[in-house]
Amino acid sequence: MAKSLQDSSSKRHFLWTNKVGNEDDHDHDNHEDGVGVGVGLPTLKYSLSKAVSDEEEKRKEGQATQKVQLQRRKLQAAAISRLRSVLTAFGKNRSGLPLGLGPRVIGTLFGSKKGHVHFALQRDPNSHPAFLIELATPISGLVKEMASGLVRIALECDKEEKKTEDSKSKSKSSAVRLLEEPVWRTYCNGKKSGFASRRECGPKEWKVLKAVEPISMGAGVLPPGNEGEAGCDGELMYMRAKFERVVGSRDSEAFYMMNPDSNGAPELSIYLLRV
């Protein structure tokens, strides 16, 4: 009886031991197969790889955007540089034009004692005259007028409209600038004083302007040998000053002599009108 009870208890102990051993082996197999605790590992690896790839794509997109912005900046800089070069070239060409006068100009009246008055306008003292005319008024008469008071010289020309069949000739005639008009009617203090004609600056006229180039304002007489068109007529009288240029329209301009001793009233004013 006692032996049978011992056999049954040993059998139950063997069965329980086998059951526990089988469960441990089953859990161990599950661990090895990635079941249980190890289930989350592949998901974590996938999430990390996806985050790395997204970050790499963002970095590549940022680099591409920076390249595009850099190219745009280079193109803008090149365009600005090209525009500046064009404007600089245009300014140089414009300043080189003979009629490129500004609001302040240099005016010179000169002529021999027995000759006529020449009037030249220059952009600066060493530039060729943009406007040079010869008045019918003798230099001695102009000196007397200026000694008596203020002098107003008016130069008038007509708007010529040539009736031709060629439209090109019409456009050329209408495009003549005011300072390019060849013939002018002259009035000195309201009195008619003949006609004035436009002149080209030749070697003699240029020699006079070069002789008075260091003079910014004043009047005097050039000794023989420095005179221009005077030639054998002896000494040459001149008056040189700065003039303020006022443009009313394409058909009217005025030049007022700037004299600090005249109490604000210009001693000499010259008006160009196309009527």
Side-chain angles (χ1 to χ4, degrees), residues 207-208 211-212 220-228 230-231 234-238:
K207 187 176 181 180
V208 175
V212 298
V221 177
L222 293 177
N226 288 329
E227 68 275 4
E235 296 177 341
L236 183 138
M237 303 177 66
Y238 72 90

Side-chain angles (χ1 to χ4, degrees), residues 106 108 122 124-128 205-217 222 238 240-242:
I106 303 294
T108 307
Q122 297 171 274
D124 48 66
N126 57 359
S127 63
H128 279 265
E205 290 80 9
W206 183 241
K207 187 176 181 180
V208 175
L209 295 177
K210 293 299 291 183
V212 298
E213 180 179 332
I215 303 171
S216 59
M217 180 176 293
L222 293 177
Y238 72 90
R240 188 171 173 86
K242 293 181 179 180

Side-chain angles (χ1 to χ4, degrees), residues 90-141:
F90 177 75
K92 290 181 179 179
N93 294 334
R94 185 174 179 83
S95 63
L97 293 175
L99 300 178
L101 292 177
R104 301 287 177 86
V105 297
I106 303 294
T108 307
L109 292 95
F110 61 92
S112 62
K113 292 183 178 180
K114 297 181 181 180
H116 296 160
V117 177
H118 289 71
F119 179 60
L121 290 173
Q122 297 171 274
R123 184 178 63 254
D124 48 66
N126 57 359
S127 63
H128 279 265
F131 183 66
L132 176 63
I133 58 171
E134 180 182 358
L135 285 71
T137 306
I139 189 72
S140 56

Side-chain angles (χ1 to χ4, degrees), residues 157-223:
C157 64
D158 297 327
K159 292 182 180 180
E160 295 184 1
E161 295 182 359
K162 298 180 181 180
K163 296 181 180 180
T164 59
E165 296 179 356
D166 191 357
S167 60
K168 293 183 179 180
S169 62
K170 288 183 181 180
S171 61
K172 288 182 180 179
S173 62
S174 62
V176 175
R177 303 174 72 172
L178 184 62
L179 297 180
E180 293 177 334
E181 291 289 349
V183 180
W184 304 81
R185 292 185 297 273
T186 308
Y187 299 88
C188 183
N189 287 341
K191 300 177 183 179
K192 191 172 183 180
S193 302
F195 290 87
S197 57
R198 190 173 185 273
R199 297 289 186 222
E200 295 295 332
C201 183
K204 294 181 179 180
E205 290 80 9
W206 183 241
K207 187 176 181 180
V208 175
L209 295 177
K210 293 299 291 183
V212 298
E213 180 179 332
I215 303 171
S216 59
M217 180 176 293
V221 177
L222 293 177

